[in-house]
Amino acid sequence: MDERTIPKVEMRGISKSFPGVLANDCVDLVLYRGEVLALLGENGAGKSTLMNILCGLYRPDAGEIYIDGRLAAIQSPRDAQKLGIGMVHQNFKLVDSMTVLENIILGLDTESFVPDWNKVRARLMDLSARYHLKVDPDASIWQLSVGEQQRVEILKLLYRNAEILILDEPTAVLTPQESRELSRVVHAMRAEGKSAIFITHKMEEVTEFSDRVMVLRKGKVVAETSTRNTSPRELATLMVGREILFQIEKQPRQPGEVVLELDHVSALNDRGLPALKDVCLSLHAGEVLGIAGVAGNGQRELAEVVTGLRKATSGTLRIAGKDMTNASPLQIIRQGVAHIPQDRASVGAVGDLSVASNLAMKQYRSKPLAAGIFLLPRRIMDMARRLIDAFRIATPSPQTQVKFLSGGNIQKTILAREIGAVKTVMVAVYPSRGLDVGATETVRRQLVAQRDNGLGVLFFSEDLEELLQVSDRIAVLFEGRIMDVFPAEGADMEHIGMLMAGMSGKESA
Amino acid sequence: MDLLTSILTITIRAGTSLTLATIGEILTERSGILNLGVEGIMLLGALSAFATVFYSHSILLALLVAMAVGALMALLHAFLTTTMRANQVVSGLSITLFGTGFASFLGQRLGPATNNFRLVGLRAERITPLAPAGLKDIPILGALVQQDLLTYLTYLLIPLAWFFLYKTRPGLWLRSVGEDPQTADAMGIDVVRTRYRYTVLGGILIALGGAHLSLSYTPGWSENITGGRGWIVIALVIFSMWNPARAIWGALLFGGINAVQFRLQASGTNIPANFLNMMPYIGTILVLVVMTWWEALSKRVGAPAALGTSYMREDK
């Protein structure tokens, strides 16, 4: 029989439910040898769940998996490994405190009780040279950049001779240049007859990486087609089930006074290493200042210094003209600074408390929600109902614990609370990360609305298109330094990508 | 025997139970399970070992019984924290409370009728220190060889545990489970089984540490024979930064404090005995303060990242 007719992977009728959600509903998937399949869908469409089933992390409630035409019983990641299936997860499966070499050995079945460290090292270096995936085998994972960590993940799969590679949103953390390198690696692997499944929600990547594309929506396959026969616009419509707005209408900007000013500010990260180096920024009222950069280049530290959660080691922070350097978070909140934190689940909201309590969390100290030391529950409930309506937060009741809401609705809850508290500056750190198109739109619109109301918005995002769309000016952060600040209008993506990778535009031009 | 050698001899003897239990607790904590039941398990180990040797006159059987008791208590902890996903601190403290009380209770019930059913004050076989002719009189080295077989076993255990943890595949698995169970799971490592295995192995070593007290260091049974050594072990694990090779320094330091304090008391010093008895515990507090400070300076925290947390694969 022709090799092309027996699929490398065939998943038939896969269903999987989590409490309250049907993540996969009778999904069929076929992958051939030497083929790259893009799996497209919104957050929560069930892409990752389906792939977690294929790599043995979850077990399906129903359905069968065939590898090379044979029924495969995949009970655990180890079974999947033996069948040549390997997955690069969105959260890398690397042990931070261990070295690259130790992480490679960790997943190997072939080594004996005492592994042959030198042999593994030699083979690793060999693969690293062959696929142009440069790594230092003795570096600890925590010392590596996100891009390097991804290389280690891919090397891990290559080392195990994985035939089927699953990549879960691999470019989300990469610079445009690194993405292109990844695309080269994927194509090199395909040329050797390996197959790959590529999870994404970015249209451009579907065209760049894949031969065929499958679209999932709410756990079901809604389309499957050859990449050549489709267009990004058609895919986008299929993905969300309606036409999406790629543009946000913005009033021309009317910048006012400087509301936030950082003057030669430096700060350390959690490990005590310099994270911000001599940062100078000024944010005007009625302006969105977008901060571009690959995650981990000081964004978190910058947001924390501005909101009083982290001490600056030198420099001055002024909010609405007042020196607020190293003021407490409460003092800064009182200056009217609101914060949508990066980690919404643990810093932004208290999962075990109700939606109403979470909404009240910044205003409970004073009227109208409190009288002296007493909270006024009825007022809190009224306020909560009002905000739940206004922001269309999908919750069974104001008393539902926040941890039971979806990511998008948790974010809307935080947004509603922070917008209620903001008077001068809104600091929004990756506010649309992990949200579906609908919720993303709400978030972006609200940020622009705050700017139109004359507030300053400090907006962090990893998505360049989003940054260009929402911001008035863009600052690029690389290794804790501001590389450049320029107007968003007419800015060149390629140029920003270079700055994000640490190259100043002048060298490349 | 010169003074230094004799102090060193007592130091090593006092350090043996601490080292055994510390290595046990290191292995347990490396899997991500914090077992605060050390004190209770050591006490039950000491009691069961002494009761067994008193009636059976077999040291070997006494050690086996102590190990079985340790395994059983650790199994209970593993079950509560891994399968039932109970809070590890609460479960460990319960085991210490239970172990302390139950050992004390049995100490008043398991004895012969002639001794009012009490085990206190009885004598039985003990593990006697070896005294290899020709070696024992060499200064310093004499202190190393003039030890019982359990201490010799400990000598072996330290490098073995270190090699196991850092150079073997199962050691790598163990560390990954304690650092990042999600990743370990995705690598095909059975997190639950690993945690059970090393909690039980840890319990066995902890109980052996207890048995060393009642069979060799202070032969016999007395109420609270461990004198809080179980808690010192918890501190020693931190002191050794979860590295078996460093466990030896902590155990020697605390064994040394004991030995010096004995010497001082024996020499009739006018420092109050209560103050001298307090020294190991003050040392513990000092070590914790210094280590915490040092860790903050060196920026690298040695604790397994997932220590104290339970793991479930499909947790959302």
Side-chain angles (χ1 to χ4, degrees):
Chain A
M1 227 195 278
D2 181 8
E3 263 201 339
R4 290 285 302 188
T5 57
I6 301 178
K8 187 76 199 162
V9 179
E10 190 176 1
M11 299 175 85
R12 277 191 213 152
I14 301 289
S15 293
K16 172 80 188 173
S17 59
F18 290 107
V21 200
L22 186 58
N24 287 149
D25 186 3
C26 209
V27 174
D28 296 321
L29 177 147
V30 176
L31 176 72
Y32 293 97
R33 231 177 94 82
E35 182 187 51
V36 179
L37 172 72
L39 204 53
L40 188 68
E42 284 191 273
N43 290 103
K47 299 164 294 181
S48 294
T49 306
L50 186 66
M51 290 302 105
N52 278 331
I53 288 171
L54 183 56
C55 79
L57 221 46
Y58 295 168
R59 284 189 215 171
D61 301 336
E64 288 164 342
I65 299 171
Y66 296 84
I67 307 291
D68 292 321
R70 276 185 297 275
L71 181 65
I74 301 176
Q75 305 282 341
S76 71
R78 180 142 287 190
D79 293 340
Q81 256 177 50
K82 284 186 192 133
L83 292 162
I85 303 168
M87 179 158 172
V88 176
H89 294 264
Q90 230 173 327
N91 309 320
F92 297 145
K93 303 287 177 183
L94 296 169
V95 182
D96 273 357
S97 59
M98 292 188 181
T99 66
V100 171
L101 200 56
E102 286 177 323
N103 269 286
I104 298 279
I105 292 180
L106 198 58
L108 295 181
D109 258 344
T110 46
E111 291 301 304
S112 49
F113 185 80
V114 182
D116 186 344
W117 295 82
N118 290 327
K119 193 192 77 193
V120 177
R121 179 191 299 268
R123 169 119 199 270
L124 174 67
M125 295 320 286
D126 186 48
L127 284 171
S128 151
R130 200 163 108 211
Y131 289 96
H132 304 289
L133 292 160
K134 211 171 140 253
V135 286
D136 170 8
D138 297 311
S140 291
I141 298 299
W142 63 268
Q143 297 170 314
L144 303 182
S145 74
V146 188
E148 287 173 306
Q149 293 186 10
Q150 189 180 62
R151 276 180 234 159
V152 179
E153 281 284 34
I154 294 171
L155 281 167
K156 229 163 70 177
L157 301 186
L158 292 171
Y159 195 100
R160 280 188 243 139
N161 298 316
E163 289 293 309
I164 303 150
L165 292 109
I166 307 166
L167 304 165
D168 192 353
E169 299 199 13
T171 59
V173 291
L174 302 181
T175 61
Q177 283 80 4
E178 283 176 314
S179 295
R180 230 167 292 136
E181 270 168 45
L182 177 68
S183 141
R184 271 199 290 278
V185 174
V186 170
H187 286 133
M189 291 190 290
R190 183 177 62 179
E192 293 186 359
K194 296 181 193 290
S195 318
I197 301 176
F198 194 91
I199 303 180
T200 183
H201 55 217
K202 295 185 192 160
M203 312 305 150
E204 321 86 82
E205 287 174 4
V206 174
T207 11
E208 194 178 339
F209 283 85
S210 72
D211 304 308
R212 212 150 48 81
V213 52
M214 191 167 119
V215 184
L216 279 182
R217 189 167 77 222
K218 291 182 179 159
K220 285 189 186 143
V221 180
V222 290
E224 204 208 315
T225 170
S226 151
T227 309
R228 262 170 293 148
N229 301 336
T230 184
S231 71
R233 200 149 255 291
E234 185 191 357
L235 289 174
T237 314
L238 282 168
M239 189 168 94
V240 290
R242 62 185 161 90
E243 290 272 347
I244 45 171
L245 295 165
F246 278 109
Q247 274 309 321
I248 289 184
E249 290 147 44
K250 271 199 308 195
Q251 315 276 329
R253 68 186 260 238
Q254 288 154 336
E257 293 159 28
V258 174
V259 283
L260 172 72
E261 194 182 2
L262 285 97
D263 195 5
H264 299 282
V265 167
S266 298
L268 304 177
N269 65 13
D270 289 344
R271 294 205 185 97
L273 305 170
L276 290 181
K277 298 162 193 163
D278 208 24
V279 168
C280 296
L281 274 181
S282 54
L283 170 68
H284 297 261
E287 175 187 61
V288 179
L289 176 59
I291 306 289
V294 177
N297 274 292
Q299 290 94 327
R300 186 174 139 220
E301 289 79 6
L302 178 56
E304 286 178 353
V305 164
V306 171
T307 51
L309 294 169
R310 185 176 295 271
K311 293 244 173 298
T313 48
S314 65
T316 321
L317 169 73
R318 273 185 287 273
I319 294 167
K322 260 193 207 147
D323 185 348
M324 297 300 284
T325 316
N326 294 337
S328 73
L330 181 59
Q331 287 169 313
I332 287 177
I333 288 171
R334 289 198 168 134
Q335 286 297 305
V337 175
H339 182 204
I340 298 173
Q342 173 172 3
D343 188 350
R344 58 177 155 263
S346 71
V347 182
V350 183
D352 288 326
L353 290 185
S354 69
V355 175
S357 302
N358 271 285
L359 285 170
M361 219 173 269
K362 270 208 172 155
Q363 297 169 48
Y364 70 92
R365 284 188 195 82
S366 54
K367 286 179 184 174
L369 300 187
I373 61 164
F374 297 102
L375 292 176
L376 303 171
R378 200 175 299 156
R379 296 245 178 93
I380 292 178
M381 290 305 281
D382 288 346
M383 174 218 56
R385 282 202 197 90
R386 208 177 61 239
L387 289 175
I388 288 168
D389 280 350
F391 286 82
R392 289 198 216 103
I393 301 169
T395 170
S397 91
Q399 261 119 354
T400 308
Q401 288 178 19
V402 158
K403 68 178 173 192
F404 294 119
L405 303 190
S406 74
N409 284 302
I410 295 179
Q411 192 68 312
K412 284 186 200 166
T413 307
I414 296 170
L415 199 64
R417 178 186 71 209
E418 297 299 322
I419 285 175
V422 67
K423 285 193 287 275
T424 48
V425 176
M426 169 73 89
V427 180
V429 191
Y430 308 130
S432 65
R433 187 195 258 176
L435 301 189
D436 60 32
V437 175
T440 301
E441 247 183 61
T442 312
V443 169
R444 292 180 190 172
R445 275 180 198 293
Q446 285 294 344
L447 291 179
V448 173
Q450 298 314 306
R451 153 210 189 255
D452 293 344
N453 287 344
L455 300 170
V457 179
L458 191 62
F459 174 51
F460 295 76
S461 175
E462 286 168 325
D463 182 341
L464 281 187
E465 268 177 67
E466 174 182 71
L467 265 176
L468 291 171
Q469 210 180 80
V470 176
S471 314
D472 299 305
R473 281 191 307 147
I474 289 184
V476 182
L477 203 54
F478 174 74
E479 289 188 343
R481 272 179 224 286
I482 298 288
M483 299 292 287
D484 201 1
V485 189
F486 44 84
E489 213 172 291
D492 172 28
M493 282 242 218
E494 198 68 7
H495 174 66
I496 302 178
M498 291 294 215
L499 292 172
M500 279 165 68
M503 286 168 275
S504 79
K506 280 143 208 138
E507 292 161 37
S508 65
Chain B
M1 216 190 316
D2 62 302
L3 182 68
L4 185 64
T5 309
S6 89
I7 287 184
L8 195 58
T9 310
I10 304 174
T11 298
I12 294 172
R13 206 167 289 165
T16 300
S17 64
L18 289 172
T19 312
L20 280 169
T22 302
I23 290 176
E25 182 70 6
I26 285 175
L27 293 177
T28 302
E29 291 194 14
R30 278 288 189 171
S31 78
I33 300 286
L34 175 68
N35 185 357
L36 291 183
V38 184
E39 176 78 359
I41 296 176
M42 281 182 92
L43 275 167
L44 283 174
L47 177 103
S48 56
F50 181 71
T52 308
V53 81
F54 181 76
Y55 289 109
S56 73
H57 309 288
S58 161
I59 295 281
L60 185 66
L61 189 63
L63 291 175
L64 289 176
V65 169
M67 286 161 76
V69 167
L72 211 65
M73 295 307 292
L75 189 66
L76 176 66
H77 184 63
F79 174 74
L80 287 173
T81 57
T82 308
T83 307
M84 306 302 291
R85 304 213 288 152
N87 181 301
Q88 296 183 7
V89 171
V90 174
S91 166
L93 288 177
S94 320
I95 283 177
T96 284
L97 282 175
F98 167 77
T100 313
F102 196 54
S104 158
F105 170 78
L106 289 181
Q108 292 166 22
R109 292 291 185 284
L110 285 186
T114 50
N115 196 34
N116 253 335
F117 302 102
R118 288 153 58 85
L119 283 172
V120 180
L122 297 175
R123 299 185 139 268
E125 286 79 0
R126 57 157 92 178
I127 317 180
T128 40
L130 305 174
L135 287 176
K136 68 176 172 111
D137 296 323
I138 305 171
I140 311 293
L141 181 71
L144 288 174
V145 297
Q146 235 177 319
Q147 300 292 345
D148 61 56
L149 277 174
L150 219 44
T151 307
Y152 276 81
L153 179 80
T154 311
Y155 292 158
L156 274 179
L157 196 61
I158 295 164
L160 273 182
W162 177 84
F163 185 80
F164 176 79
L165 205 51
Y166 291 102
K167 296 291 164 193
T168 71
R169 241 167 38 114
L172 209 56
W173 293 343
L174 167 59
R175 283 193 287 145
S176 72
V177 167
E179 289 288 344
D180 190 342
Q182 278 81 7
T183 296
D185 193 18
M187 294 294 99
I189 298 160
D190 191 329
V191 173
V192 169
R193 192 182 298 174
T194 305
R195 289 189 158 180
Y196 262 94
R197 188 175 291 160
Y198 292 100
T199 306
V200 168
L201 181 62
I204 290 173
L205 291 174
I206 292 164
L208 268 183
H212 185 262
L213 293 174
S214 65
L215 295 181
S216 173
Y217 184 61
T218 50
W221 170 253
S222 60
E223 197 101 330
N224 200 19
I225 186 172
T226 54
R229 274 184 181 74
W231 298 114
I232 292 180
V233 164
I234 305 279
L236 285 183
V237 171
I238 300 170
F239 181 73
S240 57
M241 312 266 292
W242 292 266
N243 180 346
R246 286 197 207 142
I248 188 171
W249 300 115
L252 283 181
L253 177 66
F254 283 91
I257 293 176
N258 265 326
V260 169
Q261 159 215 328
F262 271 140
R263 270 277 149 186
L264 282 173
Q265 282 189 32
S267 72
T269 165
N270 50 13
I271 304 171
N274 285 341
F275 182 78
L276 291 173
N277 289 335
M278 209 162 68
M279 279 169 54
Y281 309 105
I282 291 179
T284 308
I285 293 170
L286 279 180
V287 157
L288 284 179
V289 170
V290 170
M291 288 306 290
T292 314
W293 177 66
W294 189 71
E295 274 194 10
L297 274 184
S298 66
K299 315 276 163 25
R300 277 300 282 157
V301 180
L307 183 61
T309 58
S310 55
Y311 174 67
M312 203 177 138
R313 184 180 291 168
E314 295 188 12
D315 242 1
K316 274 227 133 178

